[in-house]
Amino acid sequence: MNTSALRFAAGNGLLDRRSFLKSGYGLSIATAIGLSPAGRLLADSEPPMPTWMTSLGAADSAYGSPSPHESQVLRQLQPNTPQTAGFSIWHSPLQHQRGIITPSGLHFAVHHNGVPAIEPERHRLLIHGLVERPLQFDLQRLMRYPMVSRIQFLECAGNTAANALSPSALDGDCQALFGQISCSEWTGVPLSHLLREAGVKASARWVICEGADGGSHSRSLPLAKLMDDAIVAFYQNGERLRPSQGYPVRLFVPGWEGNVSIKWLHRLEVSDQPAFSKDESGLYTRILSNDDILAFGFAMDVKSVITHPSGRQRLPELKGFYEISGLAWSGTGRIAKVEVSADNGRSWTQAQLHGPVLDKALTRFSIPWQWTGAATTLLSRASDEQGHVQPTRSEWRSRYAAHSFNHYNAIQAWRVGRDGTVENSYA
Amino acid sequence: MNTSALRFAAGNGLLDRRSFLKSGYGLSIATAIGLSPAGRLLADSEPPMPTWMTSLGAADSAYGSPSPHESQVLRQLQPNTPQTAGFSIWHSPLQHQRGIITPSGLHFAVHHNGVPAIEPERHRLLIHGLVERPLQFDLQRLMRYPMVSRIQFLECAGNTAANALSPSALDGDCQALFGQISCSEWTGVPLSHLLREAGVKASARWVICEGADGGSHSRSLPLAKLMDDAIVAFYQNGERLRPSQGYPVRLFVPGWEGNVSIKWLHRLEVSDQPAFSKDESGLYTRILSNDDILAFGFAMDVKSVITHPSGRQRLPELKGFYEISGLAWSGTGRIAKVEVSADNGRSWTQAQLHGPVLDKALTRFSIPWQWTGAATTLLSRASDEQGHVQPTRSEWRSRYAAHSFNHYNAIQAWRVGRDGTVENSYA
């Protein structure tokens, strides 16, 4: 690569994207080959013709599946966490994904009571409590209301807990450390339609939302948010919800911690106060550094992670061009910018945001990087349209008690070694 | 429903969306139930507690799949078309989908030579012909170039051929008649990066693009389009391409007929003229009404279809509220508007477009409808930002010879009977 033609945007090889686009990409990544004058490959560069190019291919099937060569791309159970038949945490393989859509088969999941096998024709949604007309819906009737679709993320409150809790940076890949974040197109009926039909009474402030799983997972949510943008969702990425995601119907509450988007939704009790259920009094709270408990703090904070390169990946050549690519998101709006540093924070420059940049959705960012081959640390720092910016790890830690881990959103550091290895780091 | 509070936007019950939003949705769809003063369901309305609400659920799996209750939602082979081991046409179940994303397992597919089982580590992409430096890439090197992602549709040139060819409207559902249209997030390297690295000579005008399937499906494409927005795609909806969609690498040419987005891409020959290969001289041409042949007409035309309600569906109640919902798309830009008629074209009103409205992507539209119960015909008519408007069937037919069927994009009519049945119609 003719590096003299490049303009650098920040230290240690981060490139100015426009000069890079103009440079004609002399990346020296491809292999130049010899061809005969007629354009045929010369014998010494011609690989044997593979059988698939000389024979009829296989039949297709009525429901497609990934290539057997990608069989390692799977959800993985969270490491170092005791999991039972009822409670399990499945992580998405972020380091194998590109773009912003998570295929439904790879969407992260946290189950409190296993996955119930619901017969859809027997399932009911009940709205009662402080309403003029208690209502009950079967699915056929519920799905006749007008629907909306939105591409939005879902993140578990406890995503990246290992980096919040562990005194030293644990070895792990992006999936193990960050895999409780996914993004899909969700389609359903605005909950406001149903609550208006039931007639919410003036004293109502909260709605207790309960699932049909064996443990009746439930959360109390402010009525105002549910009237604003929550939906009763039937579809994910164009097809009906998977059982693991709440089939036949779930609540979807944009931007808020995942467990409040109640799966297998069957009951909405309108109330003037929260229920203080098990999960909202314990697991899904935060403990501040003065030991005060912060409950009912729902919105996920602005956050980002570089997915390429990321933990346990290995750069295949020990210097030269790489594209740095990652994901950013915020529970309080659109991503406004993502800054990247290739010198452990001494200098920063803005990455490109790939559109569409949507409200409360994953946003893909990237920046070209000419690696010198020296060991270094890569960082990304996202800001949202409300002005929220990711804190450093020490800033985040100073706000919370040592054993508090929910809503961890500090700047992530990946250490790149001279041997091309990439590992989790606290910078 | 208190219909006196509604404002109608066009004949036969099409509602003004804003007045509908304000009306409070007295849709009378839900069942009002009796509750005790403590809020408990009264015995006569209380269904037996299903076992899934009182027991631990099942374990989840590392790669999710749809509910067994949705096992009828599959791709289907095109009816009334001879299909062989090599040539097959699979249709997407549009009438079961919502939103704009097609899950990869349900994406339509047309195969000319079956699905090759390619070993990714042996696959190569060759760029040769009128270039300064012929180049060859393995996948590992190819995937180091900067990538982009876009949500865009793919439609077969022959989609809706039955309505083009059949003198009378054939009975069929939306999948059988319209199912060769899908929309995904595609991620890959802009082809312009690779062509610039190879150094395109000044005399170059075309690129002959060839797949690694046993029959070497190939098409000649104008260099200008490939430099503008074509990508070499590795990912669909966040995961690597399915074998049926070209694993490990395909060409993706936005807005153009599907067969030019060459699957299993292995060779790009830069040329000053087209190759006039079998498929571009025969199958994928159009015959005009004066018997002239239109070849190399690539962009798919503006088109729309109402998916709910659509062919062979049955409206569950014989009058009352329904949401009309459908899909619109154009190979030449964004959808500007979709007009809907509920009285066979006597009056029209604009449907709501659900955002994001993206370039060369499916766009979801909807409009609320208060059905009187009388037999009628529903129509949708899309316009794109270039000013293209869907023609009537007779306008479309007058432009082409009777046996020409590619690029059919006429206004679709669904006949709704008094018994709630919906069927294909020529209006």
Side-chain angles (χ1 to χ4, degrees), chain A residues 127-423:
Chain A
I127 300 180
H128 69 129
L130 294 175
V131 295
E132 301 294 341
R133 291 171 298 282
L135 295 175
Q136 185 169 266
F137 303 83
D138 60 26
L139 283 164
Q140 194 250 28
R141 286 169 182 271
L142 200 50
M143 292 174 71
R144 282 177 57 193
Y145 284 82
M147 295 193 197
V148 297
S149 299
R150 299 194 202 103
I151 295 173
Q152 288 175 322
F153 79 81
L154 201 65
E155 184 185 21
C156 180
N159 193 22
T160 329
N163 278 3
L165 290 171
S166 175
S168 61
L170 292 176
D171 181 37
D173 61 17
C174 201
Q175 179 167 13
L177 294 166
F178 277 85
Q180 294 175 59
I181 172 80
S182 299
C183 183
S184 293
E185 183 189 38
W186 300 94
T187 299
V189 172
L191 184 50
S192 59
H193 291 9
L194 308 179
L195 290 171
R196 282 207 190 95
E197 180 139 348
V200 173
K201 291 186 177 173
S203 58
R205 293 291 179 276
W206 293 80
V207 180
I208 301 156
C209 308
E210 188 181 85
D213 50 321
S216 302
H217 174 67
S218 80
R219 290 298 307 264
S220 309
L221 297 172
L223 178 65
K225 171 71 173 178
L226 298 184
M227 292 296 286
D228 177 27
D229 65 358
I231 65 171
V232 171
F234 308 101
Y235 296 86
Q236 179 188 9
N237 294 331
E239 64 185 350
R240 293 294 302 279
L241 299 174
R242 303 290 177 86
S244 173
Q245 290 300 323
Y247 182 86
V249 58
R250 80 177 299 168
L251 189 63
F252 189 85
V253 186
W256 286 19
E257 55 184 41
N259 75 91
V260 310
S261 285
I262 303 288
K263 292 180 281 196
W264 316 294
L265 183 69
H266 91 111
R267 193 170 72 87
L268 297 165
E269 180 178 351
V270 182
S271 175
D272 56 358
Q273 58 186 317
F276 296 100
S277 67
K278 170 175 68 71
D279 286 323
E280 66 201 19
S281 302
L283 181 58
Y284 292 112
T285 61
R286 279 169 274 176
I287 303 130
L288 302 177
S289 49
N290 66 358
D291 286 338
D292 279 357
I293 288 178
L294 173 60
F296 306 113
F298 297 110
M300 296 308 292
D301 299 291
V302 63
K303 192 166 172 178
S304 69
V305 63
I306 294 169
T307 58
H308 302 79
S310 61
R312 292 191 173 177
Q313 290 184 334
R314 181 184 278 266
L315 299 181
E317 297 187 23
L318 296 184
K319 61 183 289 190
F321 177 81
Y322 289 94
E323 183 182 51
I324 295 172
S325 176
L327 294 166
W329 62 98
S330 168
T332 53
R334 286 177 181 74
I335 289 297
K337 65 175 175 181
V338 178
E339 297 157 294
V340 172
S341 172
D343 55 12
N344 201 16
R346 278 186 294 282
S347 66
W348 298 81
T349 189
Q350 282 194 38
Q352 182 190 8
L353 303 184
H354 294 265
V357 178
L358 300 171
D359 184 42
K360 304 180 183 71
L362 288 185
T363 297
R364 176 65 64 175
F365 66 87
S366 73
I367 188 164
W369 180 44
Q370 183 70 16
W371 183 35
T372 63
T376 190
T377 298
L378 304 177
L379 310 174
S380 63
R381 179 173 64 195
S383 304
D384 71 16
E385 61 184 353
Q386 305 277 345
H388 301 119
V389 185
Q390 285 187 264
T392 64
R393 185 173 184 280
S394 60
E395 286 168 349
W396 190 91
R397 274 267 48 112
S398 70
R399 296 214 302 255
Y400 296 102
H403 54 297
S404 193
F405 60 86
N406 282 321
H407 290 246
Y408 179 82
N409 73 321
I411 292 167
Q412 171 63 21
W414 298 116
R415 180 78 182 157
V416 179
R418 288 180 59 190
D419 59 354
T421 55
V422 185
E423 61 181 6

Side-chain angles (χ1 to χ4, degrees), chain B residues 130-415:
Chain B
L130 295 175
V131 296
E132 302 295 341
R133 290 172 299 280
L135 295 175
Q136 186 170 267
F137 303 82
D138 61 24
L139 283 164
Q140 194 250 28
R141 286 168 182 271
L142 200 50
M143 292 173 72
R144 282 177 58 193
Y145 284 81
M147 294 193 198
V148 297
S149 299
R150 300 194 202 102
I151 295 173
Q152 288 175 321
F153 78 82
L154 201 64
E155 184 184 21
C156 179
N159 193 21
T160 329
N163 278 2
L165 290 172
S166 175
S168 60
L170 292 176
D171 181 36
D173 61 17
C174 201
Q175 178 167 14
L177 294 165
F178 277 84
Q180 294 175 60
I181 172 80
S182 300
C183 184
S184 292
E185 184 189 37
W186 300 95
T187 298
V189 172
L191 185 50
S192 60
H193 291 9
L194 308 180
L195 291 172
R196 283 204 190 96
E197 180 140 347
V200 174
K201 292 186 176 172
S203 58
R205 294 291 179 277
W206 293 80
V207 181
I208 301 156
C209 309
E210 188 181 84
D213 49 322
S216 302
H217 174 67
S218 80
R219 290 299 306 266
S220 310
L221 297 172
L223 177 64
K225 171 71 173 179
L226 298 184
M227 292 295 287
D228 177 28
D229 66 358
I231 65 171
V232 170
F234 308 100
Y235 296 85
Q236 179 188 10
N237 294 332
E239 64 186 349
R240 293 294 302 279
L241 299 174
R242 304 290 178 88
S244 174
Q245 291 300 321
Y247 182 86
V249 58
R250 80 177 300 168
L251 189 63
F252 189 86
V253 186
W256 285 19
E257 56 184 39
N259 74 91
V260 309
S261 285
I262 303 287
K263 292 181 281 197
W264 316 294
L265 184 69
H266 91 110
R267 193 171 71 88
L268 298 165
E269 180 178 350
V270 182
S271 174
D272 56 358
Q273 57 185 316
F276 296 101
S277 67
K278 171 176 66 74
D279 286 324
E280 64 202 23
S281 301
L283 182 56
Y284 292 111
T285 61
R286 280 170 273 175
I287 303 129
L288 301 177
S289 50
N290 66 359
D291 286 337
D292 280 355
I293 289 178
L294 173 61
F296 306 113
F298 297 110
M300 296 308 293
D301 299 291
V302 63
K303 193 165 171 179
S304 69
V305 63
I306 293 169
T307 58
H308 302 78
S310 61
R312 292 192 174 177
Q313 290 184 334
R314 180 183 279 266
L315 299 180
E317 297 188 23
L318 297 184
K319 62 182 289 188
F321 177 81
Y322 289 93
E323 183 182 51
I324 294 172
S325 176
L327 294 166
W329 62 98
S330 168
T332 52
R334 286 177 180 75
I335 290 296
K337 66 175 176 180
V338 178
E339 298 159 291
V340 172
S341 172
D343 55 12
N344 202 16
R346 277 187 294 281
S347 65
W348 298 81
T349 189
Q350 281 193 39
Q352 183 191 7
L353 302 184
H354 294 265
V357 178
L358 300 170
D359 184 41
K360 305 181 182 68
L362 288 185
T363 297
R364 175 66 62 176
F365 67 87
S366 73
I367 188 166
W369 180 42
Q370 183 69 17
W371 183 35
T372 63
T376 190
T377 297
L378 304 177
L379 309 174
S380 63
R381 180 173 63 194
S383 305
D384 71 16
E385 60 184 354
Q386 305 278 346
H388 301 119
V389 185
Q390 284 186 265
T392 64
R393 185 173 184 279
S394 60
E395 286 167 349
W396 190 91
R397 274 267 50 112
S398 69
R399 298 214 300 255
Y400 296 102
H403 54 298
S404 193
F405 60 86
N406 282 321
H407 291 244
Y408 180 81
N409 73 321
I411 292 166
Q412 172 64 21
W414 298 116
R415 179 78 182 158

